[in-house]
Every structure is written in structure tokens, then in C-alpha cells.
């Protein structure tokens, strides 16, 4: 894999994927109303990772950063 692919993978795809997973997991547990504080933390961390990756991609990243 090229250096470009590795940088995109580590800075965008991995945080976004884990963010979606944590948010989904937290919301599912909130619906069941089990361990509410832990479920809220999972949801917040998931949203933070997902939104952070999107904001990085939209406003911070430039092509020269990854090449």
C-alpha cells in the first residue's frame, strides 16, 4: 500500500469506522436501557470520532498533506 493510502486509512477511515460502530453500539444499548452512563459514553465517543474525521476531511486536509 502506498504512503498516500496509509495516511488516508489512519487519519480518516479508521476513526470514521470506529466512530460509527461505537455510536451504533451505544444507541442500541440506550434503547435497551442497560448501563445508561456507559451507553451514553459509547455514543458520545462514536460521534466525536465520526465528526472529527469528517471535519478533518472537509476543512483541514489538503492533497499536499497526504502526498
Amino acid at each position: 500500500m502506498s504512503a498516500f493510502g496509509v495516511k488516508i486509512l489512519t487519519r480518516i477511515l479508521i476513526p470514521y469506522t470506529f466512530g460509527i460502530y461505537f455510536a451504533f453500539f451505544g444507541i442500541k444499548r440506550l434503547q435497551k436501557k442497560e448501563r445508561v452512563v456507559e451507553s451514553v459514553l459509547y455514543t458520545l465517543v462514536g460521534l466525536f470520532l465520526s465528526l472529527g474525521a469528517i471535519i478533518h476531511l472537509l476543512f483541514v486536509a489538503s492533497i499536499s498533506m497526504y502526498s
Side-chain angles (χ1 to χ4, degrees):
M1 183 178 280
S2 67
F4 178 78
V6 172
K7 287 180 183 179
I8 290 289
L9 183 70
T10 57
R11 293 183 184 161
I12 303 296
L13 293 178
I14 291 174
Y16 185 71
T17 304
F18 278 111
I20 289 176
Y21 173 75
F22 284 145
F24 178 76
F25 185 68
I27 290 170
K28 280 296 194 184
R29 290 179 64 158
L30 278 174
Q31 289 176 344
K32 295 178 185 176
K33 295 182 182 166
E34 58 184 41
R35 296 185 179 175
V36 175
V37 174
E38 187 177 328
S39 300
V40 168
L41 287 176
Y42 272 117
T43 305
L44 290 176
V45 167
L47 291 174
F48 176 76
L49 286 172
S50 296
L51 291 176
I54 291 170
I55 289 170
H56 174 79
L57 188 61
L58 291 176
F59 299 113
V60 178
S62 63
I63 296 297
S64 62
M65 177 185 278
Y66 294 113
S67 59

